[in-house]
């Protein structure tokens, strides 16, 4: 069995981001907890943006393969 951590998909990341947002809005957290959750949310948001950007590049390549140079296209799983 592999010890590698399975990378979350976009939907899982968005669900986690929603949980963090709800916790920040509804729970009475101290400053340290709030900052830690905010930082985690920002990291998740960055991952979501990267996944969306890669999906957009893939779609562009499918629709118009001549529109992008090969070095501009880097899929990250």
């Amino acid at each position: 069995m592999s010890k590698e951590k399975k990378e979350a998909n976009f939907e899982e990341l968005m669900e986690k981001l929603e949980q963090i947002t709800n916790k920040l809005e509804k729970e009475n957290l101290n400053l340290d907890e709030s900052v830690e959750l905010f930082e985690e949310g920002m990291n998740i948001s960055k991952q979501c943006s990267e996944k969306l950007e890669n999906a957009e590049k893939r779609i562009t390549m499918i629709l118009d393969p001549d529109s992008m140079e090969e070095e501009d296209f880097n899929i990250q799983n």
Side-chain angles (χ1 to χ4, degrees):
M1 190 182 292
S2 176
K3 291 185 178 182
E4 290 182 28
K5 184 179 179 183
K6 177 188 161 250
E7 185 175 327
N9 65 35
F10 180 79
E11 290 76 13
E12 292 168 336
L13 290 171
M14 288 300 293
E15 185 176 319
K16 180 67 175 168
L17 190 55
E18 186 175 341
Q19 292 170 356
I20 289 171
T21 302
N22 288 334
K23 193 169 188 175
L24 284 168
E25 289 176 346
K26 296 178 180 175
E27 293 187 21
N28 189 16
L29 305 171
N30 67 40
L31 181 61
D32 290 335
E33 292 171 324
S34 296
V35 170
E36 187 175 313
L37 279 175
F38 180 79
E39 183 177 19
E40 182 180 356
M42 291 303 295
N43 288 332
I44 292 171
S45 176
K46 182 179 177 189
Q47 290 176 43
C48 288
S49 292
E50 289 171 355
K51 287 183 180 291
L52 287 173
E53 184 177 315
N54 285 330
E56 182 179 11
K57 287 178 182 179
R58 288 178 64 191
I59 291 168
T60 300
M61 286 287 293
I62 292 167
L63 296 176
D64 187 7
D66 297 328
S67 70
M68 295 185 71
E69 306 246 346
E70 186 175 326
E71 64 266 9
D72 292 337
F73 186 67
N74 181 18
I75 298 176
Q76 298 174 354
N77 291 330

